Amino acid sequence: MTEAKYTPEEIIAKLQAHPKFGSQIKPITKHQSAIISSGLEPAVVIAGAGSGKTETMSNRVLYLVANGFATPDQILGLTFTRKAAGELSVRIRKRLRQLSQLPEFKHITSSSTSVTTYHSYAGKLLSEHAIRYGIDADADPLGEAAIWQIASDVVRNWSDDSYRNDSAVSTVIKDLLGLSKFMLEHQVKASDIEAIGNEMLEKLQLLGGSTNEDTRAVARAMRQRNSLLPMVEAFMERRKASGELSFDDQMSLAADIAQNFDDVGTLERGKYTVVLLDEYQDTSQSQVRMLSSLYGAGHPVMAVGDPSQAIYTWRGASAGTMASFQKYFPKAQGQSGTEQFSLPTTFRNDAIILAAANAISAQIKADGGQQVVELEARNGAGAGELAYGIYETVETESLAIAE
């Protein structure tokens, strides 16, 4: 990376000096500046709640474009929801248009960056390359209700008379959906699961007559799971053959394509010289596998997130994803810049609220929790007020919270 002509502070100062929109431009903190001006190398940012990560990512784009390190269309931004993607895209386009109105940056003629959701990006990748697997991926992914209907049909019409399960049909359908989802997400084969189940059963048999209800329940669960595996394989094969794909199917197939065809990564890296990953703490294993296959080995990937705000564990996300960033996006030989940054200054809360939050998160960290950012109050933050109480009933507590 060549030396930058403009620092983040200089770019912000030039924008603030503009008579029309200068008042809209916020100053940046020292932590934001370090992130914005970091080198074109893999890096992860642990962002506290309300710490201005969207503004930081927007200013990162400004810095790269203003210094000629990338053009807007060479920057890929990924986040989870369409709303978040829209907000980030609007923020970046607005800032780039403002930048182009300054005399030094009249040459910036485009504000078109590629900001989309993780699922949309996977869907686009699949539509372009699914033919490699002989799959028609043009159809929209099926919703949960449609997937449930297929699972129900498979379970209710299962013709294997040897299948035994003590659970209700609705429970078998639920187990079928859950097991197939995790097999896709973590790329686990039915034979691997069966082998582990059999190994567990063999160990339990060695206990002989000394088993109790808990160990018998484990044995029963292993037998039922193993007997469910042929049904799971039939369910997955039926949908794959007919092109009835779910979001999980699309993501898993996109990850397979990225992992198994090196030229796909070459194409994508040629399009996008810089990648920004928002809400990285909520990425699933398939998403990480896809992205690391495409953009690993030193490509400029900046992932931003907060392990304390991981909310999608039910679909395969893990707060530990932030801690393992360097494993999936290692630096290339010769790259020696900062690997991890933090955004501790929060613009959302007053001092006493942050003190309480830090006290709670410190205990989480002491108990073996993931990386926790100790939040700092913004300049000019008020003292704030913290109210608490003990209530006799849920109703009185609810009234107090509402008040």
Side-chain angles (χ1 to χ4, degrees):
M1 186 171 177
T2 58
E3 187 174 346
K5 186 176 180 181
Y6 305 99
T7 67
E9 288 80 5
E10 289 172 339
I11 295 170
I12 293 296
K14 290 177 183 294
L15 290 170
Q16 288 175 329
H18 197 281
K20 288 186 178 180
F21 54 78
S23 60
Q24 303 173 18
I25 310 300
K26 300 176 182 178
I28 58 174
T29 67
K30 62 180 181 180
H31 300 287
Q32 289 175 315
S33 179
I35 295 164
I36 293 165
S37 60
S38 63
L40 291 175
E41 301 179 9
V44 63
V45 179
I46 311 298
S51 59
K53 64 184 179 64
T54 303
E55 190 70 14
T56 303
M57 293 170 74
S58 302
N59 284 327
R60 168 72 167 164
V61 172
L62 281 189
Y63 174 82
L64 294 172
V65 174
N67 285 290
F69 297 138
T71 58
D73 61 318
Q74 292 176 323
I75 300 172
L76 173 66
L78 299 179
T79 188
F80 268 94
T81 66
R82 292 176 181 173
K83 179 182 178 183
E87 290 174 350
L88 180 59
S89 180
V90 168
R91 183 85 62 94
I92 290 174
R93 287 202 305 269
K94 181 179 179 181
R95 289 286 180 262
L96 286 172
R97 284 197 297 269
Q98 291 172 340
L99 188 69
S100 67
Q101 295 180 43
L102 303 180
E104 302 94 322
F105 306 109
K106 290 289 186 183
H107 61 281
I108 299 174
T109 58
S110 170
S111 61
S112 177
T113 52
S114 297
V115 179
T116 186
T117 66
Y118 289 99
H119 270 117
S120 294
Y121 181 70
K124 176 177 173 290
L125 197 74
L126 194 58
S127 67
E128 293 175 354
H129 300 285
I131 190 65
R132 297 169 187 254
Y133 283 151
I135 297 172
D136 179 11
D138 290 335
D140 291 333
L142 297 180
E144 290 185 14
I147 294 294
W148 189 93
Q149 288 286 358
I150 298 171
S152 175
D153 184 58
V154 170
V155 171
R156 295 178 189 278
N157 294 291
W158 190 245
S159 58
D160 185 356
D161 294 334
S162 65
Y163 176 72
R164 294 290 184 272
N165 196 310
D166 299 333
S167 304
V169 172
S170 59
T171 302
V172 177
I173 295 171
K174 180 181 177 182
D175 291 343
L176 172 68
L177 290 169
L179 190 53
S180 64
K181 181 184 180 72
F182 282 116
M183 286 170 65
L184 283 170
E185 187 64 50
H186 297 285
Q187 289 295 288
V188 179
K189 297 178 181 178
S191 57
D192 297 329
I193 296 176
E194 185 177 19
I196 292 172
N198 289 336
E199 181 182 353
M200 182 67 73
L201 287 170
E202 289 173 4
K203 290 181 178 179
L204 290 174
Q205 286 176 352
L206 295 176
L207 297 176
S210 61
T211 59
N212 56 24
E213 180 52 36
D214 289 338
T215 55
R216 288 193 291 271
V218 171
R220 186 165 56 250
M222 293 298 102
R223 285 193 294 269
Q224 290 186 0
R225 187 175 69 177
N226 279 0
S227 68
L228 189 64
L229 289 170
M231 196 181 294
V232 172
E233 289 189 300
F235 168 66
M236 294 168 67
E237 188 57 40
R238 169 175 162 175
R239 289 191 293 118
K240 184 176 180 180
S242 60
E244 297 170 319
L245 304 179
S246 66
F247 281 109
D248 295 317
D249 295 322
Q250 283 196 340
M251 187 58 69
S252 181
L253 285 168
D256 287 346
I257 288 170
Q259 195 168 32
N260 296 328
F261 300 98
D262 292 340
D263 60 312
V264 175
T266 302
L267 288 170
E268 294 303 300
R269 290 189 296 275
K271 292 180 195 174
Y272 305 114
T273 57
V274 176
V275 179
L276 301 174
L277 305 178
D278 188 23
E279 303 291 1
Y280 185 70
Q281 78 278 352
D282 285 324
T283 49
S284 66
Q285 185 62 35
S286 285
Q287 288 165 338
V288 172
R289 190 161 57 90
M290 175 187 73
L291 293 167
S292 63
S293 297
L294 296 174
Y295 300 110
H299 199 75
V301 174
M302 178 172 282
V304 184
D306 181 3
S308 301
Q309 298 185 67
I311 62 173
Y312 290 126
T313 53
W314 53 270
R315 73 173 186 199
S318 168
T321 303
M322 297 294 293
S324 62
F325 176 83
Q326 282 84 16
K327 172 185 174 182
Y328 293 102
F329 298 93
K331 290 186 181 295
Q333 188 173 5
Q335 294 180 336
S336 57
T338 303
E339 292 184 345
Q340 181 173 305
F341 297 90
S342 65
L343 276 176
T345 304
T346 176
F347 301 91
R348 188 181 294 166
N349 300 112
D350 289 333
I352 196 169
I353 306 299
L354 298 180
N358 285 332
I360 294 170
S361 63
Q363 185 60 50
I364 295 172
K365 188 175 182 179
D367 291 341
Q370 297 296 334
Q371 303 135 300
V372 176
V373 175
E374 185 170 346
L375 301 174
E376 301 174 358
R378 68 194 183 281
N379 289 332
E385 180 181 355
L386 187 67
Y388 58 93
I390 299 174
Y391 305 93
E392 293 183 357
T393 66
V394 171
E395 288 76 13
T396 55
E397 182 179 358
S398 300
L399 287 172
I401 292 171
E403 183 182 352

